[in-house]
Amino acid sequence: MRGVVQLRDLAPRADPRAQSGPESVLRLRWTDLTSLPAPEPQVPILDDSGREIYYLDLGVRELRFACEYDGVEFHSSPDDRTHDRERRTWIEDNRGWIVEVVGKENVFGAGRDVDLLVGHTRDEHRLFSLIDGVLGQVTEEQAGAAL
């Protein structure tokens, strides 16, 4: 039977919390291509009273680093883009998360670069400062040299 070996590899990695096929592919690319810890799907973001108000597609709570897949269906209208931008700005400013956004061109095809986007965030020094609390003191020079 064709595909049995692939199925045996992929089946244990399935997660029912994924909300789209591309989100699942993004999670697999993240775990295959980066040295970051495995992401958790649908990470809840709480308001000040502890109520879940937002969810991040994929994230690592300890690092406060997330990646979201923006597909055309739900993220292409001007209203969608405004809502997404305001939501992510609030999460970054009020909860201290780094949120990297990717689309179809980043995850699929010959030009995919999700490994670069996830592996080397736009805010590398912030990520290193978060890791600092887990691994010990990391200077800015060491963080820059590691990139």
Side-chain angles (χ1 to χ4, degrees), residues 37-111:
E40 173 188 349
Q42 303 309 315
V43 178
I45 299 297
L46 311 178
D47 66 10
D48 292 335
S49 66
R51 188 173 45 107
E52 295 176 355
I53 56 171
Y54 299 123
Y55 292 89
L56 295 166
D57 290 347
L58 299 170
V60 178
R61 293 177 199 235
E62 301 82 33
L63 301 177
R64 289 193 202 158
F65 175 70
C67 193
E68 295 206 298
Y69 181 86
D70 278 4
V72 174
E73 185 176 0
F74 298 109
H75 303 278
S76 60
S77 76
D79 287 343
D80 292 340
R81 288 192 301 271
T82 298
H83 171 71
D84 290 339
R85 185 176 47 257
E86 289 172 353
R87 176 181 153 276
R88 290 178 183 130
T89 298
W90 188 91
I91 291 169
E92 290 174 345
D93 292 348
N94 293 286
R95 294 300 179 256
W97 282 77
I98 299 165
V99 181
E100 189 68 55
V101 181
V102 300
K104 179 180 179 180
E105 66 281 358
N106 304 114
V107 178
F108 299 101

Side-chain angles (χ1 to χ4, degrees), residues 91-137:
I91 291 169
E92 290 174 345
D93 292 348
N94 293 286
R95 294 300 179 256
W97 282 77
I98 299 165
V99 181
E100 189 68 55
V101 181
V102 300
K104 179 180 179 180
E105 66 281 358
N106 304 114
V107 178
F108 299 101
R112 74 176 187 233
D113 60 357
V114 71
D115 54 327
L116 297 174
L117 295 173
V118 173
H120 301 97
T121 72
R122 67 181 183 274
D123 195 354
E124 295 92 349
H125 295 288
R126 169 83 167 103
L127 187 57
F128 273 95
S129 72
L130 292 167
I131 294 171
D132 179 54
V134 177
L135 301 178
Q137 295 298 325

